[in-house]
Amino acid sequence: MAQLATEARAKLVFLVDRNGQPIASHGGDDTVDTTSLSSLAAGNVAATEGLAKLLGEREFSVLFHEGERDNIHFSIVAHRAILVVIFDHSTPVGLVRLRVRKASVQFEDVFQRIAARFQKELQPTGVISDYPFPEITDDDIDRLFSE
């Protein structure tokens, strides 16, 4: 995050999950409410996904908003998170896009390693299950409802 903020000459960089929960941030000051920004970023991306579907696109992976003082660049990382970069007009958009693209590859790698580690720890047998309570069997459920 710090490297991206420096290389993109950003005021604030933060990573948000698709539900709007902040994951990490770098930069900014206490005047920026990153919790609200995270929620609004997730809502913005969700609305844009709706627009993409209306146009037959899977997604628009990059969003950009230009303000009088600051700009906001949103990008989807590994279909799991939203990378938000806030920068002023002294920074060219192309520089931000270039640095975000490079950082996104690194974040994707981190997400893949976390997912692999998580699955390995949860499923030591190598069996992948979507069932949220693997310790409860069908027999347990049958016994519970037969009484």
Side-chain angles (χ1 to χ4, degrees):
M1 300 289 287
Q3 182 179 355
L4 173 59
T6 300
E7 291 180 355
R9 298 190 321 212
K11 296 169 86 174
L12 173 64
V13 175
F14 59 105
L15 193 63
V16 181
D17 77 7
R18 293 185 75 116
N19 294 321
Q21 296 297 315
I23 298 172
S25 66
H26 181 82
D29 54 32
D30 293 338
T31 62
V32 178
D33 180 358
T34 55
T35 302
S36 295
L37 266 174
S38 297
S39 296
L40 293 169
N44 190 10
V45 168
T48 304
E49 284 176 350
L51 291 171
K53 286 180 183 172
L54 285 174
L55 296 174
E57 293 286 335
R58 186 171 154 225
E59 68 180 11
F60 292 123
S61 59
V62 174
L63 308 173
F64 174 71
H65 295 291
E66 183 174 357
E68 287 184 25
R69 215 183 41 216
D70 292 323
N71 304 317
I72 302 177
H73 184 279
F74 303 89
S75 60
I76 309 297
V77 177
H79 303 289
R80 297 175 184 258
I82 305 161
L83 181 60
V84 182
V85 178
I86 298 176
F87 58 101
D88 63 24
H89 288 279
S90 69
T91 303
V93 177
L95 174 66
V96 173
R97 291 189 69 168
L98 178 70
R99 298 304 183 191
V100 164
R101 195 174 305 140
K102 179 182 165 188
S104 293
V105 172
Q106 294 170 331
F107 284 124
E108 284 185 33
D109 182 54
V110 169
F111 279 120
Q112 287 175 355
R113 284 189 280 141
I114 291 170
R117 185 175 172 183
F118 184 72
Q119 285 196 351
K120 187 176 179 181
E121 289 177 4
L122 281 181
Q123 303 294 329
T125 60
V127 176
I128 297 172
S129 171
D130 290 334
Y131 190 64
F133 307 107
E135 73 278 2
I136 299 174
T137 66
D138 289 342
D139 290 338
D140 293 333
I141 294 171
D142 289 342
R143 276 193 300 273
L144 179 67
F145 289 106
S146 66
E147 296 175 356

